[in-house]
Amino acid sequence: SRICVITLAEAHPLLQSGKTIKNINYQISANCSRLQNKVSGKSKRGAQFLTELAPLCRITSSDGEEYTIYSCIRGRLIEVNENILSNPALLQEKPSTEGYIAVVLPKFEESKSITQGLLTQKEYEEVLLKRRSSVS
């Protein structure tokens, strides 16, 4: 179906550190809020177009540290998860289901090259192991 659900990775510092999430903000700049994204129709008219480096939201932890979450994928922003605004704990408790951040629809022509570049769960775990061993 080529939709991409953006979530926090298991290895994200917010999930690893046990920090409490204080705030989630979809206001990216003075003129851009992901909450203003209004999509309609089969062709998803009105959807904001995202590049790989487009910020989706900013998450602030209880210790004041701020994390910018990026799209990491080119495509149209189909929806943002407004439920995490009133219940930020969903990001940590159910990151891959109810705690998702956004849904992005890549261009049809690009969807195949995007999926070919993704890691399997096993490859991702190997990358994490290498990263942890190089840090310690």
Side-chain angles (χ1 to χ4, degrees):
S1 70
R2 71 173 228 271
I3 65 165
C4 297
V5 180
I6 311 296
T7 65
L8 283 182
E10 286 175 27
H12 194 281
L14 273 168
L15 299 182
Q16 293 296 311
S17 65
K19 295 180 180 183
T20 306
I21 296 173
K22 187 175 94 180
N23 180 32
I24 299 162
N25 190 352
Y26 283 111
Q27 186 77 38
I28 300 309
S29 67
N31 300 328
C32 180
S33 170
R34 300 297 180 211
L35 292 172
Q36 301 301 307
N37 191 54
K38 298 290 179 239
V39 181
S40 66
K42 190 175 168 186
S43 62
K44 309 301 178 210
R45 274 187 307 279
Q48 295 175 13
F49 187 78
L50 304 171
T51 64
E52 297 92 326
L53 301 174
L56 285 172
C57 67
R58 292 192 174 80
I59 302 172
T60 309
S61 64
S62 51
D63 65 0
E65 194 153 353
E66 186 176 87
Y67 301 88
T68 301
I69 307 300
Y70 296 93
S71 169
C72 300
I73 195 165
R74 287 170 44 91
R76 293 175 179 266
L77 180 62
I78 301 303
E79 89 176 55
V80 294
N81 184 1
E82 294 186 37
N83 295 332
I84 60 175
L85 296 174
S86 57
N87 188 0
L90 284 174
L91 271 177
Q92 291 164 305
E93 294 165 5
K94 300 179 178 183
S96 56
T97 57
E98 294 160 56
Y100 72 97
I101 295 167
V103 177
V104 177
L105 183 67
K107 284 185 175 177
F108 183 75
E109 317 78 73
E110 295 177 11
S111 60
K112 191 168 192 130
S113 64
I114 290 168
T115 53
Q116 286 172 343
L118 297 175
L119 300 176
T120 64
Q121 183 69 27
K122 189 174 189 292
E123 290 168 333
Y124 173 69
E125 288 165 3
E126 288 168 4
V127 167
L128 291 180
L129 276 173
K130 285 179 192 163
R131 190 182 297 166
R132 286 186 191 122
S133 62
S134 69
V135 170
S136 19

